């Protein structure tokens, strides 16, 4: 006799498969840290519902608050923090607002840095380019302050590329991508940037390090994930 699967069992298996697809770096009853793959949304978009947020919401329906403490661009991979309750979320958000969270990104740039120090600060205010959405533009009159520390890690003369670390002091949309590509920034787009440079197999930008204080235990938490490029 054939017995049909229980719909609730199928839903449970689907949720298990979704959460199993995530690269979970750490999890306890209050927070999670995951390694987000590139080309996956942090939160639902206009035309695409599937995202880190929806996976977490489906897996933990009793979780409260906004869940995601911060976001990564769809094309950017790397470490993403999630809070399972609104109190933990608020505490972590305050750390981001107060800039006590330490973050580092690794990127590959299309070209070599010349006529500029190998370590420094990019300070270019950013605003939405309403005519060319979702592009951001440097705007000294109406743009929001945006600062990025950078440090050259390695130069590849043969491939004409530069490996670099970015330490964003602010968190504006496309901040690292614009600060890399703009002529008043590094004047070198990130490899694979289909908005500010040229399309490649992927955007070579990865959030590879984060350090913060646990919202409940007050323990200093440090996570790192090597860039996959």
């Amino acid at each position: 006799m054939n017995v049909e699967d229980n719909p609730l069992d199928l839903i449970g298996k689907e949720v298990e498969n979704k959460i199993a697809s995530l690269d979970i770096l750490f999890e306890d009853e209050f927070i999670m840290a995951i390694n987000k793959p590139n080309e996956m949304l942090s939160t639902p978009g206009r035309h695409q519902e599937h995202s880190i947020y929806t996976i977490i919401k489906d897996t933990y329906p009793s979780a409260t608050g906004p869940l995601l403490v911060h976001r990564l661009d769809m094309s950017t991979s790397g470490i993403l923090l999630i809070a399972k309750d609104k109190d933990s979320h608020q505490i972590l958000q305050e750390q981001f607002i107060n800039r006590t969270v330490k973050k580092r990104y690794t990127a590959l740039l299309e070209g070599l840095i010349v006529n500029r120090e190998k370590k420094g600060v990019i300070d270019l205010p950013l605003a939405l380019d309403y005519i060319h959405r979702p592009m951001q533009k440097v705007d000294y009159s109406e743009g929001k302050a945006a600062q990025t520390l950078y440090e050259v890690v390695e130069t590849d003369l043969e491939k004409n590329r530069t490996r670099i670390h970015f330490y964003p002091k602010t968190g504006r949309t496309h901040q690292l991508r614009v600060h890399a590509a703009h002529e008043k920034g590094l004047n070198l787009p990130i490899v694979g940037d289909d908005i500010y440079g040229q399309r490649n197999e992927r955007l070579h930008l990865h959030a590879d390090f984060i350090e913060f204080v646990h919202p409940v235990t007050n323990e200093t938490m440090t996570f790192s994930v090597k860039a996959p490029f």
Side-chain angles (χ1 to χ4, degrees), residues 140-153:
Y140 289 98
S141 59
E142 299 182 7
K144 294 182 179 180
Q147 296 89 29
T148 303
L149 305 181
Y150 72 90
E151 184 177 16
V152 173
V153 178

Side-chain angles (χ1 to χ4, degrees), residues 97-114:
I97 293 171
N98 295 329
R99 301 181 183 178
T100 59
V101 177
K102 297 178 181 178
K103 296 180 293 179
R104 184 183 72 201
Y105 291 72
T106 294
L108 277 184
L109 304 183
E110 197 70 74
L112 306 178
I113 292 180
V114 294

Side-chain angles (χ1 to χ4, degrees), residues 89-187:
H89 185 275
Q90 181 178 348
I91 293 171
L92 289 173
Q93 274 275 286
E94 289 175 353
Q95 293 182 41
F96 274 87
I97 293 171
N98 295 329
R99 301 181 183 178
T100 59
V101 177
K102 297 178 181 178
K103 296 180 293 179
R104 184 183 72 201
Y105 291 72
T106 294
L108 277 184
L109 304 183
E110 197 70 74
L112 306 178
I113 292 180
V114 294
N115 299 324
R116 191 169 184 124
E117 297 294 327
K118 303 300 182 183
K119 183 177 182 180
V121 180
I122 304 166
D123 189 352
L124 296 172
L126 301 177
L128 174 65
D129 187 336
Y130 291 99
I131 299 177
H132 304 101
R133 290 173 181 263
M135 290 185 72
Q136 306 294 308
K137 63 180 180 179
V138 173
D139 188 331
Y140 289 98
S141 59
E142 299 182 7
K144 294 182 179 180
Q147 296 89 29
T148 303
L149 305 181
Y150 72 90
E151 184 177 16
V152 173
V153 178
E154 182 182 15
T155 55
D156 189 331
L157 298 177
E158 183 177 341
K159 294 183 178 180
N160 193 39
R161 289 181 174 180
T162 301
R163 181 174 293 270
I164 198 167
H165 283 160
F166 287 126
Y167 303 88
K169 305 303 289 182
T170 51
R172 309 303 177 199
T173 300
H174 293 180
Q175 176 175 318
L176 302 182
R177 299 166 72 170
V178 177
H179 280 183
H182 196 273
E183 61 181 4
K184 292 184 179 180
L186 297 179
N187 200 26

Side-chain angles (χ1 to χ4, degrees), residues 18-28 31-37 40-43 51-56 60 67-72 76-84 206-210 212 223-225:
K18 286 182 178 179
I19 197 68
S21 68
L22 297 180
D23 182 5
I24 299 175
L25 307 175
F26 173 84
E27 180 178 10
D28 63 13
I31 65 172
M32 290 178 67
I34 68 167
N35 179 25
K36 186 187 87 67
M40 187 171 193
L41 289 170
S42 294
T43 57
S51 65
I52 298 296
Y53 174 86
T54 54
I55 293 175
I56 299 301
Y60 305 98
L67 300 182
L68 269 63
V69 180
H70 59 119
R71 300 182 186 184
L72 295 175
T76 304
S77 58
I79 304 170
L80 192 62
L81 296 184
I82 296 156
K84 296 181 180 179
H206 178 77
D208 69 343
F209 174 88
I210 195 166
F212 60 96
F223 302 105
S224 60
V225 178

